[in-house]
Amino acid sequence: MKLEIAHVTFGYGKTVVIEDMNLELTPGVYGLLGPNGAGKSTLISLLVTNRIPDKGEILWDGKEIGSQGAAYRGVVGFKPQQQSIYPELRVKEFLYYMANLKEVPRKEQEKQVNELLVRLNLEKHRDKKMKALSGGMLQRALLAQALLGDPKFIILDEPTAGLDPMERINMRNLIGELAGDKIVLLATHIIEDIATIAKEILFMNHGEILLRGNLDSLREYYEKGKREGRMTGVEMQDEIMILENLYYDLFHV
């Protein structure tokens, strides 16, 4: 099971947002970090086939995702950043509605919905309207719909947005437990969300993956670069901005 991004370029008009990106993901949790405007949202849009690359291709198990149609959509579970989704629907209605959209067979829908309500501690809230949920419960409901159909590739966009520190801890622990043999891409601005559960951390800026590695390897890269004086050149400014300014806490988690 593998997702490959091969020489992908995408832009809006003359503005290039993703430039010649190459990336390979295998089962595990990946943390996607980057400043606003780095291209994270555009990358996610490409991965869920809302947009098509101008150049290059995205492959799932060796086949271009756009050509797979419903087969690929059945592989992907997506939790968007937007939280005001179907506010008048009750939680169970929302999950059944999303199960239909994802073409989960009707004979499996009740089983999956009930299992996810229990697994994500939503059973007591199943009859509440989405708009009446607390921030933590709403994020759990959105995560539940992403897990419908047992997807192999899960994309989570800011899954801890708006949560208090304890809820953030609970959510990231839950994500770590649910990952299993799946590929999980977790986009966030909060380093603590992925420092303990990510197989690799991906630093994105200017439409490129500038650095990737686990916490220890990135710390070693940074400290070695400091010792050798490699973190002062103009060509290193993006790495310096990310490692020292935006994500200073990376080395203190």
Side-chain angles (χ1 to χ4, degrees):
M1 185 168 61
K2 181 169 63 176
L3 180 110
E4 298 173 83
I5 298 173
H7 300 288
V8 165
T9 294
F10 178 84
Y12 301 98
K14 295 182 179 180
T15 303
V16 176
V17 181
I18 305 288
E19 186 168 8
D20 194 30
M21 178 178 288
N22 293 282
L23 186 64
E24 182 177 301
L25 304 180
T26 54
V29 179
Y30 296 83
L32 180 63
L33 301 174
N36 291 332
K40 301 190 302 297
S41 295
T42 298
L43 175 59
I44 289 172
S45 291
L46 291 167
L47 292 174
V48 299
T49 68
N50 283 346
R51 301 190 183 280
I52 300 171
D54 296 328
K55 297 179 182 178
E57 56 186 358
I58 302 173
L59 309 171
W60 176 261
D61 280 346
K63 297 180 181 179
E64 204 279 321
I65 62 174
S67 68
Q68 296 187 46
Y72 175 71
R73 290 193 294 274
V75 165
V76 179
F78 175 47
K79 192 213 82 67
Q81 182 176 0
Q82 180 188 1
Q83 297 184 33
S84 57
I85 297 177
Y86 305 112
E88 296 298 328
L89 288 183
R90 301 183 187 281
V91 172
K92 64 180 180 182
E93 293 172 338
F94 169 66
L95 293 179
Y96 276 113
Y97 177 68
M98 296 304 296
N100 280 317
L101 288 183
K102 297 178 78 168
E103 299 182 359
V104 176
R106 285 191 176 275
K107 62 182 181 180
E108 296 181 18
Q109 288 184 13
E110 183 176 3
K111 179 176 182 291
Q112 288 195 25
V113 167
N114 287 335
E115 285 180 350
L116 286 169
L117 286 170
V118 172
R119 193 174 187 185
L120 274 70
N121 197 27
L122 288 165
E123 177 63 27
K124 294 180 180 179
H125 307 277
R126 62 184 298 143
D127 293 318
K128 287 184 179 179
K129 290 188 175 183
M130 294 288 285
K131 66 180 182 181
L133 296 178
S134 67
M137 290 300 107
L138 179 57
Q139 291 286 24
R140 285 172 181 264
L142 295 175
L143 178 58
Q145 64 79 29
L147 296 173
L148 286 165
D150 191 27
K152 301 304 180 185
F153 179 31
I154 301 174
I155 303 169
L156 307 175
D157 193 359
E158 301 287 353
T160 65
L163 302 187
D164 64 35
M166 185 55 68
E167 287 178 323
R168 283 210 311 270
I169 292 171
N170 291 335
M171 178 59 73
R172 67 173 179 252
N173 288 342
L174 180 59
I175 291 168
E177 293 169 6
L178 293 172
D181 61 350
K182 304 176 188 299
I183 298 173
V184 179
L185 183 65
L186 195 164
T188 181
H189 286 86
I190 305 170
I191 184 65
E192 290 91 341
D193 283 352
I194 46 85
T196 57
I197 64 172
K199 170 182 176 179
E200 281 196 307
I201 298 169
L202 311 174
F203 286 98
M204 186 175 182
N205 201 14
H206 306 304
E208 301 178 60
I209 302 297
L210 296 176
L211 294 170
R212 65 179 295 180
N214 61 29
L215 195 63
D216 290 337
S217 68
L218 291 179
R219 182 185 290 111
E220 181 180 353
Y221 170 86
Y222 175 78
E223 292 176 348
K224 183 178 180 182
K226 276 292 197 181
R227 289 195 305 270
E228 296 178 357
R230 291 187 291 104
M231 307 302 283
T232 58
V234 173
E235 70 278 4
M236 299 297 294
Q237 289 306 303
D238 287 327
E239 285 87 341
I240 293 170
M241 179 179 68
I242 291 173
L243 291 173
E244 290 190 335
N245 297 340
L246 290 176
Y247 301 109
Y248 177 79
D249 286 344
L250 173 67
F251 304 113
H252 301 280
V253 172

